[in-house]
Amino acid sequence: MASRPRGQRLLRTLLATLVAASVAVPVSGAARPTAVPAPAPADLGPLRAATPGALAARYAVNRDGIRAAERTAAGHGDRSRAAALRAMAAPARQFLSFDGRDGGRTAEVFGDLARAERIAVLVPGSDTSLDTYERFRAGALALHHELDGRTAVIAWLGYATPGTLSTEVLTPALAADAAPQLVRFVGELNEARPTARVSVLCHSYGSVVCGRAASGLSVADIVLYGSPGAGSDGVASLHTRATVWAGRGTGDWIAEVPHGQLPLPFATLGLGEDPLSPAFGARVFAAGSGGHSDYLRPGTLSLENLARIVSGRLPAEEHRRAA
């Protein structure tokens, strides 16, 4: 959708500000997440069946891969990354996939995937990597605790996320690269658990990934929360039969991000229409008063409503909860 003139000015201003910030922010001596080496993962092939035995074998192979990445990180002198990987290799952790290269790619399961009747796939936003993974994992755990035992939650870090203070976060380019990976992953889930009800929950820039992937996702719900846009002008252009939901906390700074898209010679600037606008056409759910990182915080209305959507129930309204 072409932006209105005012939207174009705002987008150009935002681009100029972030370009200046990316130049002005000093480069520290710490290694970037992508700079820490890791061995290539084992080639496990697609997930064909989610039987207890097949899943246990897959979790074990990925645990070995995490331990190998831990040894490599320790040899590289990155104690923080090594410690994070050591925690990820704990016997109780369940990884469908793991690749420690280029900032990290993972898919961690919370719950019993072999028996799950419902599956929630969390798609993260900017600044998510192995070095910040615990923040992402905490949200997945909180959602899992909000749901019953027949639901599995998967934290899918399947793409190179942009930095919040970067020009990459202003364009759908990284999302376009990530979308086929999400389509492939959800397709494997559909094949392995064909009777399960699958929902994708997309935070921040993850909404752009889900928007780009939407037409290829066989899911019940696409939930956009804390979203700057989905790379489109509305639900109709997503070409999906899923119910598209959108929610935003009243304390979320993302509401101030300019909306629209502006074609430039080198890229498309902007992430599309505001998913909460009537023009977009999503079903809006109450997300409480939290900020951009609070949607999966225990005890919040946003977490309650995300869990209700995953369970196939209608979200609670603000005034009903207050009563």
Side-chain angles (χ1 to χ4, degrees), residues 286-310:
S289 60
H292 192 62
S293 300
D294 297 331
Y295 291 93
L296 296 174
R297 191 180 298 277
T300 58
L301 176 61
S302 53
L303 177 61
E304 176 189 344
N305 277 342
L306 289 169
R308 290 174 72 95
I309 291 169
V310 170

Side-chain angles (χ1 to χ4, degrees), residues 186-277:
V186 172
E188 289 183 24
L189 284 180
N190 294 148
E191 182 175 348
R193 294 291 301 147
T195 61
R197 184 183 193 276
V198 181
S199 302
V200 290
L201 278 56
C202 321
H203 179 237
S204 195
Y205 190 85
S207 298
V208 194
V209 177
C210 292
R212 285 301 181 104
S215 63
L217 297 175
S218 180
V219 297
D221 305 288
I222 296 174
V223 189
L224 314 175
Y225 59 104
S227 172
S232 73
D233 58 5
V235 169
S237 63
L238 297 181
H239 303 292
T240 178
R241 293 191 292 178
T243 301
V244 179
W245 301 85
R248 183 168 59 224
T250 57
D252 190 343
W253 59 263
I254 206 77
E256 305 303 320
V257 171
H259 294 99
Q261 290 192 305
L262 178 64
L264 297 174
F266 57 89
T268 296
L269 177 63
L271 303 175
E273 181 62 79
D274 181 356
L276 268 73
S277 71

